[in-house]
Amino acid sequence: VIFITNLFFYKKTIIFITAALFFIGIYAWNRFSTPPIGDIFDQASKEAGFHIYYPTFIPAGLELRKARIWFDSDSAAYSLGDMHSSSPWVAIIQQKIEHLQEKGQLTFLEYVDRLESRQEISINGNSGFTGISVNPQETSFINLIFSTEDGIVMRLWTRNFDLATLVQIARSMK
């Protein structure tokens, strides 16, 4: 009788531990899994009212998290990596061409004119430019600026990666 009671106790314990691990696994999966990047940007695009492009190529060591996407009715900005740290990063901003002048901002060509060492480039059949911009603190940034077929100006800039990496990111935009 003692043997049967002990066997019953061990079976209950094993079933309880297995069930607990199963439910902990489900909780962790739901709590810590993130939706695919495409889903995050589709939702942001719906809320913004225009298509927000995102890269399918992200350089090693960089990541994109939902908390870093900022948008309003005519522009969106996000970074790959943390721009406020010494770690590598790439910043991406896109704006509707039609709204740049309305807000008193530089037009596409006015911004391009301010770039040093400017060169023309084609990104997925759309015209663009590369060059160096220098901020008031004398920090140089590599820039890539191009327009899309649906009237969006895209600007990518970094101080950590070379132009070839920016081009690869830009060409992967969906």
Side-chain angles (χ1 to χ4, degrees):
V1 172
I2 293 175
F3 175 73
I4 294 174
T5 305
N6 284 341
L7 184 61
F8 181 71
F9 173 76
Y10 288 124
K11 280 177 124 179
K12 279 179 53 176
T13 303
I14 290 172
I15 290 171
F16 175 77
I17 290 172
T18 303
L21 290 174
F22 176 75
F23 287 112
I24 289 171
I26 288 175
Y27 170 78
W29 175 262
N30 289 332
R31 174 82 170 94
F32 299 109
S33 65
T34 56
I37 288 177
D39 292 350
I40 292 169
F41 277 87
D42 288 345
Q43 181 62 35
S45 294
K46 287 176 188 171
E47 292 175 26
F50 68 97
H51 180 69
I52 299 176
Y53 289 88
Y54 64 93
T56 56
F57 168 75
I58 297 176
L62 297 183
E63 65 178 345
L64 174 63
R65 292 183 286 182
K66 184 177 182 178
R68 296 202 180 152
I69 302 171
W70 173 87
F71 59 87
D72 63 17
S73 63
D74 61 1
S75 61
Y78 53 92
S79 66
L80 307 176
D82 186 358
M83 292 177 60
H84 304 291
S85 74
S86 60
S87 301
W89 56 267
V90 174
I92 301 169
I93 188 167
Q94 62 186 54
Q95 296 174 293
K96 290 181 180 179
I97 293 173
E98 64 196 52
H99 294 283
L100 290 176
Q101 286 183 315
E102 291 174 13
K103 288 189 168 185
Q105 296 177 353
L106 294 176
T107 66
F108 176 67
L109 292 176
E110 287 171 333
Y111 192 84
V112 168
D113 285 343
R114 293 183 177 203
L115 294 177
E116 299 174 9
S117 306
R118 184 176 58 247
Q119 296 179 339
E120 270 191 69
I121 191 168
S122 176
I123 302 293
N124 301 332
N126 298 303
S127 64
F129 295 88
T130 65
I132 305 295
S133 64
V134 180
N135 69 11
Q137 292 81 25
E138 302 294 318
T139 305
S140 296
F141 296 92
I142 298 173
N143 288 261
L144 188 146
I145 303 169
F146 65 100
S147 59
T148 64
E149 294 171 359
D150 58 349
I152 300 290
V153 173
M154 301 282 298
R155 177 181 174 219
L156 289 73
W157 72 99
T158 186
R159 62 177 178 189
N160 309 102
F161 292 95
D162 60 9
L163 179 59
T165 303
L166 282 185
V167 169
Q168 192 173 4
I169 294 168
R171 288 189 172 144
S172 77
M173 289 289 183
K174 282 189 158 192

